[in-house]
Amino acid sequence: MTTYITTPIFYVNAEPHLGHAYSTIVADTYARFKRLCGDDVRFQTGTDEHGDKIVQAAENAGESPKEYVDRISTMFSGTWPHLDIEPDNFIRTTDSDHKQNVQTILQKVYEQGDIYFSEYEGLYCKGCEQFLTEKELVDGKCADHLTEPEKIREQNYFFKMSKYQEWLVDHIKSNPEFITPERYKNEMLSFLSEPLQDLCISRPTSRLTWGIPLPFDDRFVTYVWFDALINYLTGLVYPNDQKFDTYWPAAEHVIAKDILKPHAIFWPTMLKAMGVEPYKKLHVHGYWNINDTKMSKSLGNVVRPKEMVEEYGVDAVRYFLLRDMSFGLDSSYNSEAVIARQNSDLANDLGNLFSRSLTMVGKFEGGKVPESGPMEDIDQGMQDACAKMLVTYSEEMNQFRFSRALQAVWEVISRANKYIVKNAPWELAKDDTKQERIHTVFYTLLETLRILQVVVSPIMPATAQKMAKGLGVSTVSTLADGKWGGLKPGTPISKPEQLFPRLEKKKSAAPVKVKKDKKKQKAKGEKLEGIITFEEFGKVKLKVAEIVAAERIKKSDRLLKLSVKAPEERTIVAGIAEYYSPEELVGRQVIIVANLKPAKLMGVPSEGMVLAAKDGERLVLASLSDTVALGSRVA
Ligand code: MSP
């Protein structure tokens, strides 16, 4: 099978931001996923460099258009490697082969009579670089740019788009997956229920010179869409190259809803006029807003991909964007949401599973993949869950439902974490007759991790690489490697590298103040020491919490740093390192004093205390006889 996946080519009137990064991460992830499926994949992105807006931006920057477009285009191509985005082709509309290609196509369509010269008066939106109909305006303004379009009357060349309206409606209706998600298909069908206007494709050189001259009339240049959309063909060296024959039938475009009409209407009709088959699929996503507000330079809330990567790391950014946006709908970005995902899904769930499994294999299995003994129901359950996840994952990834694909993966991660707690290998290790059982448990865990490494690789390539290294397997894998049983007993397992650091919340919660009543205590005298009133006890907030991460504190034999959820997250430093290893704590419910004044121990801030009973030499954590909701008050 073959896949050709593209992003929009981005205007160089602005530097790369979160929105551009999202579309490009989506395309990169899909390209990697399709490679995993064994496809021959080509992934293309690039920059759109002609038009009024670019000339204006160059003037504002005090540069010539050429200097300006070279500089900004390099910013785009230079940003993608920071996000582990690896396109096969980066196209620029100022490349000479592209300009020539556009001219050849224009000439052909002109000669066959689908381009004509006429006078036109219409409402032109500079932001969209297109004429809008009255119906598309909201309160007389462009809905996207919130500006009033200008009334423009001039002679221009037009593409006979209306001629292909009926064909297009039929094509959309008979190919249900041509435009997805469905809401956008419906939007276009509704737009097509009215007569389609022809498309103005030129600008007089008196008004714009920064464009591609029409081959049949050099007083005009072609403007944005006839130039830009053709990039998808130029990148395949249309029409005479093997690449075109191989990849064009498999073309899938990723765009946001802002450029739906040019892609769903102009482009297929242009292709039809050129005698080229329409692309296979159009995938339309929503908008990223910032804290629920539109991202804009004037509001100063533009998020730059490179800064995100510096702050959170590339894989946390890729994961967050794909997990938090339901493809097709708008989503809101804020740093708290990224930190929450990083700490809970990545550091706690995946990171802990990986590190404690490998650490225990080091301790209990001599650092090698063990030979599995007979499987019990619980092990078979883990294997079946992996197989089921692979099916769901593939379906969802193929449909661009990345968030759902990741949810399916995380169900397995959560099951694997529970599998550790239920099997308690540290307890089995105390019993000589349970050695075979330990082998089965660790084989099951390592196999699960290996399969997880395969499925996370399109989304988080760097993390997959670290996991593969730890598991002693190769990173070049295919989805078929997701089948159970790939790990060879005896393979050495490395000491685990930390996959994700835990990030501190930006604002820490204000400490809860509990007033001390020293005077009263003194007055009651020696005999009453330790006695407290009901009200005083009521001031102590005991809550149920789950330990989600645990690690030793350097230079201390006694202290462990625990991350607990109650259900809000907090850090507690507990003096239990001599009695409990970090691996056996994760996943346990404990009782904490939730309103203890925060303190620092060995430089680590601690927000509470874990209850435990001291019994001679032993120290045993207080727990409940059943699992309860996190944050439940203990009274
Ligand atoms: N040059 C045209 C596209 C020509 S394609 C043949 C263009 N360029 S653009 O720089 O304005 O890019 C628009 C695209 O950037 C959107 O379709 C989307 O892919 C991405 N995004 C820009 N802002 C975005 C958000 N706030 N959220 C998500 N993606 C958005 O239009």
Side-chain angles (χ1 to χ4, degrees), residues 311-349:
E311 202 160 350
Y312 309 113
V314 53
D315 279 357
V317 170
R318 290 176 65 112
Y319 175 79
F320 171 79
L321 294 178
L322 294 168
R323 175 67 183 79
D324 260 48
M325 176 173 264
S326 276
F327 196 86
L329 303 177
D330 290 354
S331 217
S332 184
Y333 172 90
N334 63 70
S335 57
E336 286 77 29
V338 187
I339 293 174
R341 283 267 175 230
Q342 163 124 355
N343 286 347
S344 104
D345 300 13
L346 299 179
N348 293 348
D349 298 346

mmCIF file of all heavy atoms in Angstrom, residues 311-349:
data_model
loop_
_atom_site.group_PDB
_atom_site.id
_atom_site.type_symbol
_atom_site.label_atom_id
_atom_site.label_comp_id
_atom_site.label_asym_id
_atom_site.label_seq_id
_atom_site.Cartn_x
_atom_site.Cartn_y
_atom_site.Cartn_z
ATOM 1 N N GLU A 311 10.335 23.832 27.056
ATOM 2 C CA GLU A 311 9.728 23.752 28.380
ATOM 3 C C GLU A 311 9.316 22.316 28.766
ATOM 4 O O GLU A 311 9.536 21.901 29.894
ATOM 5 C CB GLU A 311 8.497 24.655 28.423
ATOM 6 C CG GLU A 311 8.152 25.021 29.840
ATOM 7 C CD GLU A 311 7.275 26.253 29.909
ATOM 8 O OE1 GLU A 311 7.083 26.925 28.874
ATOM 9 O OE2 GLU A 311 6.784 26.523 31.012
ATOM 10 N N TYR A 312 8.733 21.589 27.832
ATOM 11 C CA TYR A 312 8.148 20.296 28.208
ATOM 12 C C TYR A 312 8.825 19.086 27.570
ATOM 13 O O TYR A 312 8.554 17.957 27.975
ATOM 14 C CB TYR A 312 6.657 20.261 27.827
ATOM 15 C CG TYR A 312 5.883 21.442 28.335
ATOM 16 C CD1 TYR A 312 5.359 22.382 27.456
ATOM 17 C CD2 TYR A 312 5.696 21.623 29.697
ATOM 18 C CE1 TYR A 312 4.659 23.478 27.928
ATOM 19 C CE2 TYR A 312 5.002 22.717 30.177
ATOM 20 C CZ TYR A 312 4.487 23.638 29.286
ATOM 21 O OH TYR A 312 3.806 24.716 29.757
ATOM 22 N N GLY A 313 9.622 19.307 26.543
ATOM 23 C CA GLY A 313 10.208 18.170 25.834
ATOM 24 C C GLY A 313 9.316 17.806 24.651
ATOM 25 O O GLY A 313 8.092 17.946 24.718
ATOM 26 N N VAL A 314 9.949 17.307 23.597
ATOM 27 C CA VAL A 314 9.238 17.116 22.342
ATOM 28 C C VAL A 314 8.095 16.103 22.450
ATOM 29 O O VAL A 314 6.987 16.324 21.949
ATOM 30 C CB VAL A 314 10.217 16.784 21.189
ATOM 31 C CG1 VAL A 314 11.121 15.626 21.529
ATOM 32 C CG2 VAL A 314 9.480 16.442 19.909
ATOM 33 N N ASP A 315 8.335 14.996 23.143
ATOM 34 C CA ASP A 315 7.299 13.966 23.163
ATOM 35 C C ASP A 315 6.105 14.368 24.005
ATOM 36 O O ASP A 315 4.962 14.002 23.685
ATOM 37 C CB ASP A 315 7.884 12.631 23.635
ATOM 38 C CG ASP A 315 8.595 11.929 22.492
ATOM 39 O OD1 ASP A 315 8.556 12.463 21.362
ATOM 40 O OD2 ASP A 315 9.177 10.857 22.714
ATOM 41 N N ALA A 316 6.335 15.129 25.056
ATOM 42 C CA ALA A 316 5.212 15.591 25.876
ATOM 43 C C ALA A 316 4.338 16.532 25.040
ATOM 44 O O ALA A 316 3.111 16.505 25.137
ATOM 45 C CB ALA A 316 5.725 16.297 27.119
ATOM 46 N N VAL A 317 4.957 17.341 24.182
ATOM 47 C CA VAL A 317 4.200 18.264 23.329
ATOM 48 C C VAL A 317 3.402 17.479 22.293
ATOM 49 O O VAL A 317 2.198 17.695 22.109
ATOM 50 C CB VAL A 317 5.158 19.268 22.632
ATOM 51 C CG1 VAL A 317 4.437 20.056 21.566
ATOM 52 C CG2 VAL A 317 5.789 20.192 23.662
ATOM 53 N N ARG A 318 4.060 16.541 21.635
ATOM 54 C CA ARG A 318 3.358 15.751 20.611
ATOM 55 C C ARG A 318 2.205 14.985 21.251
ATOM 56 O O ARG A 318 1.090 14.971 20.726
ATOM 57 C CB ARG A 318 4.325 14.756 19.932
ATOM 58 C CG ARG A 318 5.354 15.425 19.034
ATOM 59 C CD ARG A 318 6.361 14.399 18.468
ATOM 60 N NE ARG A 318 5.738 13.439 17.578
ATOM 61 C CZ ARG A 318 5.944 13.345 16.263
ATOM 62 N NH1 ARG A 318 6.783 14.182 15.672
ATOM 63 N NH2 ARG A 318 5.335 12.445 15.539
ATOM 64 N N TYR A 319 2.473 14.364 22.386
ATOM 65 C CA TYR A 319 1.428 13.585 23.056
ATOM 66 C C TYR A 319 0.255 14.488 23.437
ATOM 67 O O TYR A 319 -0.903 14.171 23.165
ATOM 68 C CB TYR A 319 1.995 12.907 24.316
ATOM 69 C CG TYR A 319 0.926 12.188 25.099
ATOM 70 C CD1 TYR A 319 0.472 10.937 24.699
ATOM 71 C CD2 TYR A 319 0.346 12.774 26.224
ATOM 72 C CE1 TYR A 319 -0.542 10.286 25.394
ATOM 73 C CE2 TYR A 319 -0.663 12.135 26.923
ATOM 74 C CZ TYR A 319 -1.102 10.891 26.508
ATOM 75 O OH TYR A 319 -2.108 10.256 27.181
ATOM 76 N N PHE A 320 0.574 15.620 24.066
ATOM 77 C CA PHE A 320 -0.498 16.510 24.532
ATOM 78 C C PHE A 320 -1.398 16.932 23.365
ATOM 79 O O PHE A 320 -2.626 16.864 23.444
ATOM 80 C CB PHE A 320 0.092 17.751 25.219
ATOM 81 C CG PHE A 320 -0.960 18.771 25.517
ATOM 82 C CD1 PHE A 320 -1.787 18.624 26.614
ATOM 83 C CD2 PHE A 320 -1.174 19.859 24.670
ATOM 84 C CE1 PHE A 320 -2.799 19.528 26.875
ATOM 85 C CE2 PHE A 320 -2.179 20.768 24.921
ATOM 86 C CZ PHE A 320 -3.003 20.598 26.024
ATOM 87 N N LEU A 321 -0.774 17.378 22.269
ATOM 88 C CA LEU A 321 -1.572 17.909 21.160
ATOM 89 C C LEU A 321 -2.478 16.821 20.556
ATOM 90 O O LEU A 321 -3.635 17.079 20.218
ATOM 91 C CB LEU A 321 -0.671 18.509 20.082
ATOM 92 C CG LEU A 321 0.107 19.765 20.521
ATOM 93 C CD1 LEU A 321 1.006 20.258 19.400
ATOM 94 C CD2 LEU A 321 -0.834 20.884 20.959
ATOM 95 N N LEU A 322 -1.948 15.614 20.453
ATOM 96 C CA LEU A 322 -2.751 14.556 19.845
ATOM 97 C C LEU A 322 -3.789 14.006 20.818
ATOM 98 O O LEU A 322 -4.875 13.596 20.411
ATOM 99 C CB LEU A 322 -1.845 13.429 19.346
ATOM 100 C CG LEU A 322 -0.936 13.859 18.195
ATOM 101 C CD1 LEU A 322 0.137 12.816 17.939
ATOM 102 C CD2 LEU A 322 -1.744 14.087 16.924
ATOM 103 N N ARG A 323 -3.483 14.026 22.101
ATOM 104 C CA ARG A 323 -4.395 13.448 23.089
ATOM 105 C C ARG A 323 -5.517 14.423 23.443
ATOM 106 O O ARG A 323 -6.646 14.018 23.672
ATOM 107 C CB ARG A 323 -3.593 13.069 24.340
ATOM 108 C CG ARG A 323 -4.401 12.559 25.515
ATOM 109 C CD ARG A 323 -5.031 11.213 25.178
ATOM 110 N NE ARG A 323 -5.877 10.740 26.270
ATOM 111 C CZ ARG A 323 -7.109 11.157 26.516
ATOM 112 N NH1 ARG A 323 -7.658 12.072 25.727
ATOM 113 N NH2 ARG A 323 -7.797 10.671 27.514
ATOM 114 N N ASP A 324 -5.184 15.713 23.476
ATOM 115 C CA ASP A 324 -6.170 16.661 23.998
ATOM 116 C C ASP A 324 -7.123 17.222 22.955
ATOM 117 O O ASP A 324 -8.118 17.842 23.313
ATOM 118 C CB ASP A 324 -5.473 17.819 24.731
ATOM 119 C CG ASP A 324 -5.514 17.599 26.230
ATOM 120 O OD1 ASP A 324 -5.176 16.471 26.636
ATOM 121 O OD2 ASP A 324 -5.907 18.510 26.975
ATOM 122 N N MET A 325 -6.810 17.061 21.672
ATOM 123 C CA MET A 325 -7.743 17.572 20.660
ATOM 124 C C MET A 325 -8.512 16.404 20.053
ATOM 125 O O MET A 325 -7.912 15.427 19.602
ATOM 126 C CB MET A 325 -7.004 18.334 19.563
ATOM 127 C CG MET A 325 -7.929 18.799 18.452
ATOM 128 S SD MET A 325 -7.119 19.875 17.248
ATOM 129 C CE MET A 325 -7.537 21.496 17.864
ATOM 130 N N SER A 326 -9.842 16.503 20.061
ATOM 131 C CA SER A 326 -10.642 15.543 19.312
ATOM 132 C C SER A 326 -10.596 16.027 17.881
ATOM 133 O O SER A 326 -11.066 17.135 17.596
ATOM 134 C CB SER A 326 -12.092 15.591 19.761
ATOM 135 O OG SER A 326 -12.258 14.816 20.848
ATOM 136 N N PHE A 327 -10.053 15.233 16.988
ATOM 137 C CA PHE A 327 -9.820 15.697 15.621
ATOM 138 C C PHE A 327 -11.122 16.189 14.994
ATOM 139 O O PHE A 327 -12.109 15.455 14.964
ATOM 140 C CB PHE A 327 -9.202 14.576 14.787
ATOM 141 C CG PHE A 327 -8.584 15.058 13.520
ATOM 142 C CD1 PHE A 327 -7.281 15.516 13.494
ATOM 143 C CD2 PHE A 327 -9.325 15.100 12.342
ATOM 144 C CE1 PHE A 327 -6.711 15.985 12.326
ATOM 145 C CE2 PHE A 327 -8.772 15.561 11.169
ATOM 146 C CZ PHE A 327 -7.462 16.005 11.164
ATOM 147 N N GLY A 328 -11.105 17.430 14.546
ATOM 148 C CA GLY A 328 -12.322 18.004 13.948
ATOM 149 C C GLY A 328 -12.903 19.109 14.817
ATOM 150 O O GLY A 328 -13.537 20.025 14.312
ATOM 151 N N LEU A 329 -12.669 19.025 16.136
ATOM 152 C CA LEU A 329 -13.234 20.031 17.042
ATOM 153 C C LEU A 329 -12.152 20.995 17.521
ATOM 154 O O LEU A 329 -10.968 20.669 17.477
ATOM 155 C CB LEU A 329 -13.857 19.352 18.264
ATOM 156 C CG LEU A 329 -14.940 18.323 17.990
ATOM 157 C CD1 LEU A 329 -15.410 17.691 19.287
ATOM 158 C CD2 LEU A 329 -16.121 18.975 17.269
ATOM 159 N N ASP A 330 -12.587 22.155 18.026
ATOM 160 C CA ASP A 330 -11.618 23.103 18.588
ATOM 161 C C ASP A 330 -11.154 22.594 19.948
ATOM 162 O O ASP A 330 -11.831 21.804 20.588
ATOM 163 C CB ASP A 330 -12.272 24.479 18.790
ATOM 164 C CG ASP A 330 -12.560 25.155 17.461
ATOM 165 O OD1 ASP A 330 -12.140 24.605 16.428
ATOM 166 O OD2 ASP A 330 -13.197 26.225 17.473
ATOM 167 N N SER A 331 -9.998 23.099 20.379
ATOM 168 C CA SER A 331 -9.466 22.694 21.674
ATOM 169 C C SER A 331 -8.755 23.890 22.295
ATOM 170 O O SER A 331 -8.340 24.787 21.582
ATOM 171 C CB SER A 331 -8.468 21.563 21.445
ATOM 172 O OG SER A 331 -8.542 20.635 22.453
ATOM 173 N N SER A 332 -8.619 23.843 23.618
ATOM 174 C CA SER A 332 -7.959 24.974 24.267
ATOM 175 C C SER A 332 -6.631 24.533 24.859
ATOM 176 O O SER A 332 -6.545 23.496 25.507
ATOM 177 C CB SER A 332 -8.858 25.540 25.361
ATOM 178 O OG SER A 332 -8.250 26.687 25.904
ATOM 179 N N TYR A 333 -5.628 25.367 24.609
ATOM 180 C CA TYR A 333 -4.290 25.070 25.117
ATOM 181 C C TYR A 333 -4.007 25.901 26.359
ATOM 182 O O TYR A 333 -4.297 27.095 26.380
ATOM 183 C CB TYR A 333 -3.261 25.414 24.025
ATOM 184 C CG TYR A 333 -1.841 25.331 24.499
ATOM 185 C CD1 TYR A 333 -1.133 24.142 24.406
ATOM 186 C CD2 TYR A 333 -1.212 26.435 25.072
ATOM 187 C CE1 TYR A 333 0.169 24.061 24.867
ATOM 188 C CE2 TYR A 333 0.096 26.350 25.526
ATOM 189 C CZ TYR A 333 0.770 25.166 25.419
ATOM 190 O OH TYR A 333 2.049 25.074 25.882
ATOM 191 N N ASN A 334 -3.485 25.311 27.398
ATOM 192 C CA ASN A 334 -2.924 26.095 28.508
ATOM 193 C C ASN A 334 -1.863 25.250 29.195
ATOM 194 O O ASN A 334 -1.903 24.019 29.133
ATOM 195 C CB ASN A 334 -4.007 26.579 29.482
ATOM 196 C CG ASN A 334 -4.711 25.427 30.149
ATOM 197 O OD1 ASN A 334 -4.131 24.729 30.976
ATOM 198 N ND2 ASN A 334 -5.960 25.201 29.758
ATOM 199 N N SER A 335 -0.905 25.928 29.828
ATOM 200 C CA SER A 335 0.243 25.176 30.331
ATOM 201 C C SER A 335 -0.153 24.202 31.441
ATOM 202 O O SER A 335 0.446 23.138 31.567
ATOM 203 C CB SER A 335 1.355 26.105 30.781
ATOM 204 O OG SER A 335 0.868 26.965 31.755
ATOM 205 N N GLU A 336 -1.177 24.546 32.242
ATOM 206 C CA GLU A 336 -1.593 23.620 33.312
ATOM 207 C C GLU A 336 -2.029 22.279 32.708
ATOM 208 O O GLU A 336 -1.742 21.220 33.258
ATOM 209 C CB GLU A 336 -2.776 24.178 34.130
ATOM 210 C CG GLU A 336 -2.415 25.294 35.082
ATOM 211 C CD GLU A 336 -2.235 26.606 34.364
ATOM 212 O OE1 GLU A 336 -2.884 26.791 33.328
ATOM 213 O OE2 GLU A 336 -1.427 27.435 34.810
ATOM 214 N N ALA A 337 -2.734 22.362 31.561
ATOM 215 C CA ALA A 337 -3.222 21.129 30.934
ATOM 216 C C ALA A 337 -2.041 20.277 30.448
ATOM 217 O O ALA A 337 -2.066 19.053 30.564
ATOM 218 C CB ALA A 337 -4.153 21.462 29.778
ATOM 219 N N VAL A 338 -0.999 20.933 29.913
ATOM 220 C CA VAL A 338 0.161 20.167 29.434
ATOM 221 C C VAL A 338 0.862 19.511 30.624
ATOM 222 O O VAL A 338 1.209 18.321 30.584
ATOM 223 C CB VAL A 338 1.179 21.072 28.698
ATOM 224 C CG1 VAL A 338 2.287 20.243 28.071
ATOM 225 C CG2 VAL A 338 0.511 21.923 27.643
ATOM 226 N N ILE A 339 1.039 20.273 31.704
ATOM 227 C CA ILE A 339 1.726 19.736 32.888
ATOM 228 C C ILE A 339 0.928 18.576 33.478
ATOM 229 O O ILE A 339 1.492 17.545 33.847
ATOM 230 C CB ILE A 339 1.952 20.856 33.936
ATOM 231 C CG1 ILE A 339 2.953 21.870 33.381
ATOM 232 C CG2 ILE A 339 2.462 20.279 35.260
ATOM 233 C CD1 ILE A 339 3.163 23.096 34.234
ATOM 234 N N ALA A 340 -0.403 18.733 33.521
ATOM 235 C CA ALA A 340 -1.235 17.667 34.094
ATOM 236 C C ALA A 340 -1.081 16.384 33.281
ATOM 237 O O ALA A 340 -0.913 15.297 33.833
ATOM 238 C CB ALA A 340 -2.687 18.102 34.138
ATOM 239 N N ARG A 341 -1.108 16.498 31.961
ATOM 240 C CA ARG A 341 -0.941 15.307 31.107
ATOM 241 C C ARG A 341 0.444 14.701 31.297
ATOM 242 O O ARG A 341 0.608 13.496 31.347
ATOM 243 C CB ARG A 341 -1.090 15.685 29.635
ATOM 244 C CG ARG A 341 -2.504 15.891 29.218
ATOM 245 C CD ARG A 341 -3.097 14.601 28.646
ATOM 246 N NE ARG A 341 -4.488 14.810 28.364
ATOM 247 C CZ ARG A 341 -5.463 14.017 28.749
ATOM 248 N NH1 ARG A 341 -5.207 12.921 29.429
ATOM 249 N NH2 ARG A 341 -6.703 14.288 28.459
ATOM 250 N N GLN A 342 1.440 15.584 31.343
ATOM 251 C CA GLN A 342 2.806 15.084 31.475
ATOM 252 C C GLN A 342 2.951 14.312 32.785
ATOM 253 O O GLN A 342 3.504 13.225 32.812
ATOM 254 C CB GLN A 342 3.787 16.264 31.436
ATOM 255 C CG GLN A 342 5.158 15.899 31.979
ATOM 256 C CD GLN A 342 6.268 16.172 30.990
ATOM 257 O OE1 GLN A 342 6.025 16.551 29.843
ATOM 258 N NE2 GLN A 342 7.494 16.004 31.404
ATOM 259 N N ASN A 343 2.474 14.882 33.875
ATOM 260 C CA ASN A 343 2.652 14.220 35.166
ATOM 261 C C ASN A 343 1.809 12.955 35.267
ATOM 262 O O ASN A 343 2.293 11.925 35.709
ATOM 263 C CB ASN A 343 2.304 15.167 36.314
ATOM 264 C CG ASN A 343 3.406 16.207 36.492
ATOM 265 O OD1 ASN A 343 4.485 16.069 35.935
ATOM 266 N ND2 ASN A 343 3.127 17.238 37.244
ATOM 267 N N SER A 344 0.551 13.046 34.835
ATOM 268 C CA SER A 344 -0.273 11.874 35.075
ATOM 269 C C SER A 344 -0.102 10.804 34.001
ATOM 270 O O SER A 344 0.278 9.678 34.296
ATOM 271 C CB SER A 344 -1.720 12.321 35.327
ATOM 272 O OG SER A 344 -2.493 12.081 34.213
ATOM 273 N N ASP A 345 -0.345 11.144 32.729
ATOM 274 C CA ASP A 345 -0.288 10.093 31.698
ATOM 275 C C ASP A 345 1.147 9.632 31.421
ATOM 276 O O ASP A 345 1.393 8.450 31.222
ATOM 277 C CB ASP A 345 -0.867 10.587 30.363
ATOM 278 C CG ASP A 345 -2.312 11.013 30.493
ATOM 279 O OD1 ASP A 345 -2.788 11.158 31.631
ATOM 280 O OD2 ASP A 345 -2.968 11.229 29.465
ATOM 281 N N LEU A 346 2.055 10.621 31.361
ATOM 282 C CA LEU A 346 3.398 10.254 30.910
ATOM 283 C C LEU A 346 4.307 9.826 32.063
ATOM 284 O O LEU A 346 4.819 8.719 32.069
ATOM 285 C CB LEU A 346 4.007 11.403 30.099
ATOM 286 C CG LEU A 346 3.208 11.760 28.839
ATOM 287 C CD1 LEU A 346 3.836 12.917 28.090
ATOM 288 C CD2 LEU A 346 3.095 10.556 27.907
ATOM 289 N N ALA A 347 4.523 10.724 33.052
ATOM 290 C CA ALA A 347 5.446 10.362 34.137
ATOM 291 C C ALA A 347 4.853 9.244 35.002
ATOM 292 O O ALA A 347 5.495 8.223 35.234
ATOM 293 C CB ALA A 347 5.780 11.585 34.969
ATOM 294 N N ASN A 348 3.622 9.409 35.457
ATOM 295 C CA ASN A 348 3.052 8.404 36.372
ATOM 296 C C ASN A 348 2.722 7.098 35.669
ATOM 297 O O ASN A 348 3.155 6.040 36.095
ATOM 298 C CB ASN A 348 1.739 8.885 36.995
ATOM 299 C CG ASN A 348 1.955 10.050 37.917
ATOM 300 O OD1 ASN A 348 3.096 10.358 38.260
ATOM 301 N ND2 ASN A 348 0.886 10.690 38.309
ATOM 302 N N ASP A 349 1.914 7.181 34.633
ATOM 303 C CA ASP A 349 1.402 5.940 34.044
ATOM 304 C C ASP A 349 2.459 5.204 33.221
ATOM 305 O O ASP A 349 2.870 4.112 33.568
ATOM 306 C CB ASP A 349 0.175 6.231 33.164
ATOM 307 C CG ASP A 349 -0.972 6.835 33.967
ATOM 308 O OD1 ASP A 349 -0.909 6.779 35.209
ATOM 309 O OD2 ASP A 349 -1.920 7.359 33.368
#
